[in-house]
Amino acid sequence: MAMIEFRNVSKWYGSFQVLKDCSTSVEKGEVVVVCGPSGSGKSTLIKCVNGLEPFQQGEVIVNGQSVGDRGTRLPQLRAKIGMVFQHFELFPHMDVTANLNLAQVKVLGRSVEEATAKSHALLQRVGMIEHAKKFPGQLSGGQQQRVAIARGLAMDPVAMLFDEPTSALDPEMINEVLDVMVELAQEGMTMMCVTHEMGFARKVAHRVIFMDQGEIVEDAPKEDFFGTPRSERAQQFLSKILHH
Amino acid sequence: MDFGFLFEPAFSGGGTYLDWVISGIQWTLYLSVLGWIIAFVLGSILGVLRTVPLAILRVPATIYVEVFRNIPLLVQMFIWYFVVPEIVPKAAGDWLKTQMPMPEFWNAVFCLGTYTASRVAEQVRAGIQSIPRGQVHAGLAIGLTLPQTYRHVLLPMSYRIIIPPLTTEFLTIFKNSSVALTIGVLELTAQARQISEYTFQTFEIFTIATVVYALITLTVTFTMRWIEGRARVPGYIGTTGK
């Protein structure tokens, strides 16, 4: 059974359709990269996985639970899926450790000692342990994003979602974040990443999804996608971003 | 200026005019602080409700704010004191008019509190809405419920952001408390007027009133500034330059 499955998902903002009959899936341990031009619906698609964006038609099944189902307790489902945002979205009034502890304590019911131990282990792993007592405003973008990844991991997630995790970073900071993501992928984490980092896709992705105007235009194994993409739109897109 | 009259026996009550001044200051403080507690608690609840996704909660809060901030405070004071006891059921009206202890005082506290709550609500709402939407998403995405997201993510930052306008509001309630003299509360301004009528030392007594108001509000200003400093978030852009 797939870890994340989209079945004919459609979404409208008023009369404007942002997702058109999207179907795809992410298996356990699989790394799927979602790319496409801006406004193509890739961020919206990924936010349907944890119900941050409601959709009107179709179904999203995560770890056996239907996201759109009224009976599904979204906070519980979300707690099992880590999410990393373009603008980090750390909580500015809490220090780094408190950022990682918050949901562990409030949602999982861990004790503060237990949570702190877990947080420090993860901060060690993303190379941020010496900044454990700093506040997000005192960190660089790359450092904040590594903390944000650790915050997601602190919940022992079954999958991680990345929504353009390097788009707001200075070029020199992109790699420190990608390194953490690559490591995570190689350890077998189930990942769905919206990104334009084709180097990352080449390195660790199993599949690449290409979206345009709310539709999944291309959904292919990495080798096929970079080798012989079938759609003209995907070819154009690739030629534009790969020439730099 | 001659302040000697302060130590003369007052026209009534057995004390001196200084005792009248002190009594006035006390009522001004009681009115303002109790009114502020109502304003802060009620205003915070209303401000939060104005931002929630459920219209059934949002609409009544919006109606409250628009009603209470759009009627002059003086008119509201008269409505609570003179009109409400006549339009509520007779038993309640009688209680309000004859049995309630210190009816002028409690009416004034209630009126100041509910009026100021509408203004506090708008500031709380502005504070919440000034926080990027991504913060709500981040709170929800790690598994917090929406109320938990308000409690741990949105409100701690919102209150920090709105400390300056909230300070202004807290100062305003001290100054607005003088409106209570119109329904007979002997707060500072009322006492100053009364003393001026009995002693003709108008210049002196209103000088005292002015200085006392200024001292109270400056104390509030510095206290709030201290709180703002204590609550400062290290490295947060909104709090640089301090």
Side-chain angles (χ1 to χ4, degrees):
Chain A
M1 192 176 61
M3 185 64 85
I4 300 168
E5 190 172 359
F6 290 83
R7 291 183 192 153
N8 310 98
V9 175
S10 290
K11 175 183 171 72
W12 287 263
Y13 284 123
S15 61
F16 180 70
Q17 193 168 3
V18 283
L19 293 179
K20 296 175 188 161
D21 202 28
C22 295
S23 296
T24 187
S25 65
V26 182
E27 298 297 321
K28 189 173 187 322
E30 198 176 24
V31 177
V32 173
V33 162
V34 184
C35 61
S38 67
S40 61
K42 44 195 195 310
S43 285
T44 310
L45 184 80
I46 202 174
K47 283 180 182 151
C48 289
V49 175
N50 59 359
L52 288 183
E53 290 280 2
F55 46 91
Q56 286 82 30
Q57 258 176 35
E59 248 188 317
V60 178
I61 315 282
V62 177
N63 204 19
Q65 273 187 296
S66 171
V67 177
D69 191 2
R70 283 192 160 272
T72 300
R73 292 186 58 191
L74 279 177
Q76 283 185 349
L77 183 141
R78 287 166 176 152
K80 287 185 285 187
I81 307 166
M83 184 155 197
V84 176
F85 299 87
Q86 181 174 2
H87 296 289
F88 331 129
E89 304 301 352
L90 295 175
F91 308 129
H93 58 293
M94 298 178 188
D95 70 19
V96 164
T97 308
N99 263 279
L100 268 65
N101 284 358
L102 179 65
Q104 293 187 67
V105 174
K106 298 293 171 193
V107 180
L108 301 182
R110 288 178 187 158
S111 69
V112 176
E113 296 75 33
E114 227 181 323
T116 305
K118 175 91 184 166
S119 302
H120 285 172
L122 284 164
L123 288 172
Q124 187 86 48
R125 180 169 158 191
V126 299
M128 290 295 296
I129 188 68
E130 66 270 36
H131 303 290
K133 285 202 161 59
K134 286 192 182 165
F135 284 76
Q138 299 169 310
L139 303 175
S140 73
Q143 291 174 325
Q144 288 190 57
Q145 197 62 301
R146 284 187 280 151
V147 171
I149 294 172
R151 180 176 67 181
L153 294 175
M155 303 294 284
D156 294 318
V158 295
M160 289 284 288
L161 307 174
F162 293 83
D163 185 10
E164 305 209 32
T166 57
S167 301
L169 296 176
D170 287 341
E172 59 191 293
M173 292 168 187
I174 290 177
N175 278 332
E176 62 185 79
V177 171
L178 286 181
D179 287 346
V180 173
M181 289 171 62
V182 167
E183 203 178 302
L184 209 54
Q186 285 166 349
E187 284 168 20
M189 176 61 78
T190 309
M191 292 164 69
M192 194 167 172
C193 313
V194 173
T195 183
H196 293 141
E197 294 296 332
M198 288 301 130
F200 171 77
R202 277 217 165 97
K203 199 165 182 181
V204 295
H206 298 100
R207 282 187 14 253
V208 179
I209 291 173
F210 175 76
M211 291 187 72
D212 190 28
Q213 297 181 353
E215 270 179 291
I216 295 182
V217 181
E218 196 88 25
D219 182 351
K222 166 181 66 176
E223 297 76 16
D224 294 356
F225 183 80
F226 289 112
T228 54
R230 282 147 285 184
S231 72
E232 201 180 315
R233 188 70 189 84
Q235 282 176 12
Q236 280 176 359
F237 178 77
L238 273 180
S239 70
K240 274 184 195 143
I241 63 170
L242 289 181
H243 275 269
H244 298 288
Chain B
M1 282 208 253
D2 177 11
F3 292 100
F5 70 96
L6 284 174
F7 306 102
E8 289 167 15
F11 180 79
S12 65
T16 61
Y17 286 113
L18 179 63
D19 292 326
W20 283 18
V21 173
I22 291 169
S23 157
I25 295 172
Q26 281 172 343
W27 286 114
T28 289
L29 291 175
Y30 292 148
L31 271 176
S32 310
V33 172
L34 290 173
W36 179 251
I37 292 170
I38 294 176
F40 186 74
V41 174
L42 184 61
S44 295
I45 296 168
L46 289 164
V48 167
L49 291 183
R50 289 209 68 186
T51 65
V52 298
L54 282 176
I56 196 167
L57 297 173
R58 203 173 56 234
V59 172
T62 306
I63 292 171
Y64 178 100
V65 168
E66 294 308 343
V67 168
F68 279 81
R69 74 170 171 178
N70 287 321
I71 299 171
L73 177 60
L74 184 57
V75 174
Q76 292 192 32
M77 202 63 91
F78 288 161
I79 289 175
W80 287 117
Y81 191 59
F82 296 116
V83 181
V84 169
E86 306 301 330
I87 55 175
V88 295
K90 194 171 178 311
D94 287 345
W95 185 82
L96 284 173
K97 280 185 285 193
T98 59
Q99 267 141 2
M100 185 168 79
M102 302 190 291
E104 306 85 5
F105 174 73
W106 289 111
N107 259 294
V109 166
F110 188 72
C111 176
L112 276 172
T114 51
Y115 167 77
T116 310
S118 69
R119 304 171 53 97
V120 170
E122 280 303 88
Q123 287 160 8
V124 171
R125 177 174 76 97
I128 293 169
Q129 290 179 341
S130 72
I131 294 174
R133 227 185 125 55
Q135 288 279 301
V136 183
H137 277 171
L140 295 177
I142 53 172
L144 299 178
T145 60
L146 188 61
Q148 282 179 319
T149 304
Y150 270 90
R151 162 71 185 80
H152 299 291
V153 178
L154 292 179
L155 290 178
M157 282 312 289
S158 303
Y159 280 118
R160 284 174 168 89
I161 291 166
I162 64 169
I163 286 175
L166 221 46
T167 304
T168 306
E169 219 49 66
F170 196 11
L171 298 178
T172 303
I173 206 168
F174 283 99
K175 291 173 280 177
N176 279 344
S177 69
S178 61
V179 174
L181 77 85
T182 59
I183 59 170
V185 181
L186 285 173
E187 44 66 69
L188 181 55
T189 305
Q191 288 288 14
R193 267 175 33 136
Q194 186 168 250
I195 293 169
S196 136
E197 271 161 31
Y198 284 116
T199 66
F200 301 105
Q201 308 272 24
T202 309
F203 204 77
E204 286 84 352
I205 189 61
F206 277 101
T207 303
I208 291 172
T210 304
V211 170
V212 169
Y213 276 117
L215 284 177
I216 293 173
T217 49
L218 283 172
T219 309
V220 171
T221 305
F222 283 108
T223 310
M224 292 296 277
R225 208 171 277 178
W226 178 77
I227 292 174
E228 194 178 353
R230 285 291 301 262
R232 207 180 65 92
V233 174
Y236 189 69
I237 41 166
T239 47
T240 51
K242 257 209 62 114

